Amino acid sequence: EHIRRDIPYQMPIEHYHAQYEIYYLVSGDRNIFIQDRICHVEAGDVVLLSPDVIHRSLPGSSTAHERLLIEFDLKFFEDILISPNTIPFRQVFHGKQSVFRPLEAEKLKLESDFLLLFAELKKRSPSSDFKIKLLFLSLLMTLDTIATVLPSDEFLSSSRAHRHIREIILYLQDNYQRDIGLESTAEHFCLSKEHCSRIFRQTTGFTLTSYLNQLRIRKAQQLLATTKDTIETTALACGFQGSTHFGRVFHAQTGMTPGAYRRSLPLK
């Protein structure tokens, strides 16, 4: 996608997905919620997200912004003579760093790679498929050679509210297995339930319950894929108090029941 918006915009839903994501901000500035932190992203910055990372794009200080976005998975490389395991970008995506700030010369090369790729995608003729893959590999190689990497903390929002919300998120990540929710979390931080709910949603774009459920379902998916635990045991291990509620939330987020999800996984 290549989108320019001239009015303030907030991504309508929080989400994670099985694809890799490249987000390049052409102009303006944005706050990007990534897993447990809110990063302030400026024009020329690149956000690289590996699969299953919860994220959401939020307004920055500028009214307008323009961005380029690519989502892809490893199947994209199946019919060209290269093993996905040897593609250098994987190390970049799976590192601790999510946001990168290229040098000016690197930024020009990156934008050139993007423009050539998007121009070819716009044609989208059958004969252009291989060229698209070569242009995309060129883009990935450029990303892999970005030399200027600021420490991840340099991108953290300096807002006091954002720092406070990060403490709440880290608490949720450490305690999702327990029977916690909005009320107990607010009590832990000596906040009223209403105030905790309001500042969490205003700051992140999520409701606290929605974020907690997404966190729990991601953990449940990992357990369903790596253990032979029953659905009931998995539900309890992820902080749900029963398999019925677990199944309802799991289906709402994934479109299938926990049992169907496990059956859909490749046999090992």
Side-chain angles (χ1 to χ4, degrees), residues 58-113:
L58 304 163
S61 59
S62 59
T63 301
H65 78 281
E66 181 181 0
R67 61 99 170 124
L68 300 166
L69 178 71
I70 298 174
E71 290 180 5
F72 67 98
D73 60 34
L74 297 184
K75 292 180 181 178
F76 182 78
F77 301 100
E78 284 181 349
D79 62 348
I80 55 178
L81 300 176
I82 188 167
S83 166
N85 292 324
T86 65
I87 296 174
F89 77 84
R90 297 191 74 182
Q91 184 176 353
V92 180
F93 275 89
H94 290 288
K96 293 181 180 179
Q97 189 81 17
S98 297
V99 184
F100 298 81
R101 182 161 295 161
L103 294 170
E104 195 61 34
E106 293 168 334
K107 190 191 304 182
L108 293 173
K109 175 65 167 67
L110 193 58
E111 289 188 359
S112 173
D113 286 350

Side-chain angles (χ1 to χ4, degrees), residues 17-241:
H17 41 70
Q19 293 77 35
Y20 290 86
E21 181 173 315
I22 302 169
Y23 180 106
Y24 180 73
L25 192 63
V26 179
S27 64
D29 70 304
R30 301 289 289 168
N31 287 312
I32 310 290
F33 182 91
I34 306 171
Q35 198 80 338
D36 63 358
R37 58 186 58 200
I38 298 171
C39 296
H40 185 71
V41 178
E42 301 174 354
D45 290 347
V46 184
V47 182
L48 303 179
L49 299 173
S50 55
D52 300 323
V53 171
I54 298 176
H55 58 283
R56 190 171 196 169
S57 173
L58 304 163
S61 59
S62 59
T63 301
H65 78 281
E66 181 181 0
R67 61 99 170 124
L68 300 166
L69 178 71
I70 298 174
E71 290 180 5
F72 67 98
D73 60 34
L74 297 184
K75 292 180 181 178
F76 182 78
F77 301 100
E78 284 181 349
D79 62 348
I80 55 178
L81 300 176
I82 188 167
S83 166
N85 292 324
T86 65
I87 296 174
F89 77 84
R90 297 191 74 182
Q91 184 176 353
V92 180
F93 275 89
H94 290 288
K96 293 181 180 179
Q97 189 81 17
S98 297
V99 184
F100 298 81
R101 182 161 295 161
L103 294 170
E104 195 61 34
E106 293 168 334
K107 190 191 304 182
L108 293 173
K109 175 65 167 67
L110 193 58
E111 289 188 359
S112 173
D113 286 350
F114 269 117
L115 291 174
L116 288 170
L117 175 60
F118 274 68
E120 197 64 38
L121 283 167
K122 194 172 182 180
K123 298 178 187 175
R124 203 65 195 191
S125 64
S127 61
S128 68
D129 283 356
F130 189 70
K131 187 174 181 181
I132 287 170
K133 295 191 177 189
L134 291 178
L135 289 169
F136 187 47
L137 283 173
S138 175
L139 171 64
L140 293 177
M141 292 299 294
T142 301
L143 290 171
D144 191 58
T145 56
I146 287 175
T148 303
V149 180
L150 296 180
S152 56
D153 287 349
E154 291 289 327
F155 294 99
L156 286 180
S157 169
S158 60
S159 162
R160 181 180 178 184
H162 289 181
R163 292 198 303 271
H164 194 187
I165 291 301
R166 188 173 185 228
E167 292 176 2
I168 295 176
I169 289 169
L170 293 175
Y171 170 78
L172 296 177
Q173 291 184 344
D174 288 341
N175 295 278
Y176 71 90
Q177 310 97 320
R178 298 172 47 225
D179 183 19
I180 61 170
L182 173 59
E183 188 168 349
S184 59
T185 301
E187 184 178 342
H188 178 82
F189 287 94
C190 301
L191 301 170
S192 72
K193 186 171 70 171
E194 292 74 17
H195 181 60
C196 183
S197 175
R198 185 172 62 255
I199 63 170
F200 194 92
R201 183 159 195 165
Q202 285 177 346
T203 305
T204 69
F206 301 77
T207 67
L208 188 144
T209 299
S210 172
Y211 179 82
L212 182 58
N213 280 340
Q214 290 219 33
L215 180 63
R216 285 170 166 165
I217 294 303
R218 285 174 59 245
K219 299 296 183 181
Q221 288 176 308
Q222 294 171 11
L223 290 178
L224 290 169
T226 58
T227 74
K228 295 182 179 179
D229 292 345
T230 65
I231 302 301
E232 180 76 27
T233 299
T234 301
L236 294 173
C238 295
F240 292 96
Q241 298 311 297

